[in-house]
Amino acid sequence: MTAVQHIPAESLDVLPDLQPVFDEIAATSSERDSERIHPLDVLEKLRAVRFGASRFPAAEGGRGASWRETLDALVRLAEADSSVAHVFRNHLFVSERFLTGREEGYNPEWRKAVLRGELIGLATTELDRKQTGGRGDLKTVLTPDGDGFRLNGTKFYSTGTLYAEWTLVRATGPGDEDVSIIIPTSREGVERIDDWDGIGQKVTGSGTTNFHDVRVEADEIIRDARPFVQPFSSTIAQTVVTAVNAGILRAVLRDAKALLLGRTRNFYYAPASVAADDPLLQQTIGRISGDAFAAELAILAVGDTLDAFADARDGGADEETLADLAHEASIAAAKAKIVIDEFVLRSANAAFEVGGATAATLRKNIDRHWRNARTLASHNPVVYKAQALGAYELRGTKLPSLGFF
């Protein structure tokens, strides 16, 4: 691994044992994608090393990592297998809510579960809503039942829930209140269906979750004055998706180099008979390398803004300060997405230039990088991010705060 690829040489110091695990995951990544093999064994390895507890105190069994360190590790996991890294998107977002252990109204079992290595998925999206994101109009309902409740409804894009021990569900509660609950995925009435049919990110467990009269206890409902980890509630989730694309860029560079170095022929009219000595193809590798370098720097910069917020939150900063820091993190995440999505898609396409026709074969499966990156980029279209940033730059208009930012 070159120094240029690994920008902050010190950033994995808190997570030193993870790279061998990532290397194991990478060895079978292409096979999982091409044959749609669920990463159950891989996730067990990550549970064992408490990857999902990276942000939790080391004294309690976590890894004590900053956001910068966590995102650095996540980029490397995504380089190994982008679908596996994506599974942690909602887990990291949700578990940050009860990171400090001081939040009122949170069931302490959730925190203990994360420290045991268990995973939390998400089940919030409904395909029959009039809008994507925001509040209200949820068809999934939570109704009183004795000293507890019953949950009924259907969710899609339930990323990670297929593999997770827990899932966070948004529903309409009594009095049309928006509520969030966290329940075990093994509970009677929870039905997880493997019907995600995306062109990429094939094994993220992002399909349908049905809730058939599921029992919900009162202490499984999130009840606090501000039920989000920070005012811009989706910044962490969006940053994770973008970090996965930065990891795909590293994988593109790895595989493009291997393709070029493995070529035994070149076109008769090319500048060099040996493909790896061809200055045009070398230039392509150089551009991909530059894209990967810039993408990783951008993600680490977002990590710094998330750390600034977390430090202020844990230090008891006032609400106005926290709101300003959260907005800065949201801005950084939006800017990073705009450039990284462009870089990864053009580099994934450029990989075919250095590999020739061989790169287009199914046995190489190089197209998975473009498919995966395109799928991730489509989660939250760049056009809306760019418009929101433009309005902020020109008019000082704050970014939306009810999801996707």
Side-chain angles (χ1 to χ4, degrees):
M1 184 179 296
T2 68
V4 170
Q5 284 178 279
H6 194 176
I7 297 132
E10 76 284 358
S11 68
L12 270 178
D13 285 351
V14 180
L15 311 166
D17 58 325
L18 292 178
Q19 192 58 52
V21 178
F22 296 164
D23 291 342
E24 283 187 56
I25 293 170
T28 51
S29 174
S30 179
E31 179 185 4
R32 276 190 295 276
D33 175 89
S34 61
E35 298 184 25
R36 208 169 189 275
I37 300 171
H38 291 295
L40 301 177
D41 58 336
V42 167
L43 290 171
E44 281 305 308
K45 296 179 189 298
L46 292 168
R47 285 183 176 92
V49 296
R50 301 295 189 269
F51 182 77
S54 292
R55 292 273 301 134
F56 284 66
E60 299 180 43
R63 290 182 165 270
S66 66
W67 267 115
R68 182 184 179 92
E69 292 162 332
T70 300
L71 291 172
D72 180 59
L74 189 70
V75 168
R76 275 151 236 291
L77 175 56
E79 177 186 8
D81 190 313
S82 61
S83 285
V84 173
H86 193 183
V87 169
F88 287 87
R89 174 203 186 198
N90 297 320
H91 173 87
L92 291 170
F93 160 58
V94 175
S95 63
E96 186 78 6
R97 293 182 174 204
F98 34 90
L99 174 64
T100 67
R102 297 192 299 268
E103 296 82 351
E104 296 181 4
Y106 285 88
N107 189 325
E109 178 57 27
W110 301 332
R111 194 170 193 277
K112 294 175 185 176
V114 174
L115 288 166
R116 288 195 300 267
E118 295 176 12
L119 301 180
I120 304 173
L122 194 71
T124 63
T125 300
E126 297 177 354
L127 296 182
D128 56 352
R129 289 186 73 203
K130 295 179 180 178
Q131 62 183 23
T132 301
R135 293 178 179 167
D137 192 35
L138 291 169
K139 305 299 190 297
T140 300
V141 294
L142 188 71
T143 55
D145 178 45
D147 60 352
F149 301 84
R150 292 288 173 177
L151 181 69
N152 287 277
T154 295
K155 302 290 188 178
F156 195 63
Y157 298 126
S158 309
T159 302
T161 295
L162 187 65
Y163 313 127
E165 288 85 356
W166 305 80
T167 189
L168 183 146
V169 187
R170 286 184 59 217
T172 299
D176 290 332
E177 175 190 11
D178 271 5
V179 297
S180 295
I181 65 173
I182 299 177
I183 55 175
T185 55
S186 59
R187 182 163 295 171
E188 183 179 0
V190 178
E191 180 187 23
R192 295 174 286 176
I193 303 175
D194 179 25
D195 59 351
W196 166 241
D197 62 349
I199 61 170
Q201 298 299 95
K202 292 182 177 180
V203 287
T204 57
S206 296
T208 298
T209 305
N210 291 316
F211 301 95
H212 304 290
D213 211 27
V214 178
R215 173 73 178 182
V216 176
E217 305 300 336
D219 64 357
E220 293 173 328
I221 302 173
I222 296 176
R223 295 191 182 281
D224 59 7
R226 188 179 65 200
F228 298 115
V229 63
Q230 57 193 55
F232 287 80
S233 59
S234 293
T235 302
I236 291 170
Q238 297 307 310
T239 300
V240 169
V241 170
T242 305
V244 175
N245 259 346
I248 292 174
L249 239 174
R250 288 176 60 91
V252 169
L253 177 60
R254 176 199 67 207
D255 290 351
K257 288 162 59 177
L259 278 169
L260 184 53
L261 291 169
R263 282 181 63 174
T264 58
R265 302 184 304 157
N266 203 8
F267 292 97
Y268 73 89
Y269 52 85
S273 59
V274 177
D277 295 334
D278 188 327
L280 297 177
L281 301 183
Q282 289 176 343
Q283 180 189 51
T284 301
I285 294 294
R287 287 187 62 87
I288 296 174
S289 177
D291 284 352
F293 176 82
E296 192 163 357
L297 280 178
I299 279 297
L300 295 177
V302 179
D304 289 340
T305 66
L306 290 172
D307 282 328
F309 176 89
D311 290 345
R313 176 196 65 201
D314 297 345
D318 60 79
E319 292 294 319
E320 183 178 357
T321 298
L322 291 177
D324 289 343
L325 288 171
H327 189 247
E328 289 177 16
S330 182
I331 290 172
K335 289 178 178 177
K337 174 185 169 59
I338 289 172
V339 296
I340 291 174
D341 282 2
E342 178 180 346
F343 287 174
V344 68
L345 290 171
R346 81 181 182 193
S347 289
N349 184 60
F352 291 92
E353 298 293 332
V354 303
T358 302
T361 60
L362 290 175
R363 67 179 181 275
K364 293 293 185 181
N365 199 23
I366 297 300
D367 65 298
R368 75 184 187 279
H369 298 315
W370 184 91
R371 290 186 286 100
N372 290 334
R374 181 63 268 175
T375 301
L376 287 162
S378 299
H379 276 61
N380 191 353
V382 162
V383 62
Y384 292 118
K385 291 281 187 180
Q387 183 278 325
L389 284 174
Y392 170 74
E393 294 289 347
L394 292 169
R395 303 293 187 190
T397 305
K398 287 197 171 183
L399 272 56
S401 61
L402 294 180
F404 295 97
F405 280 90

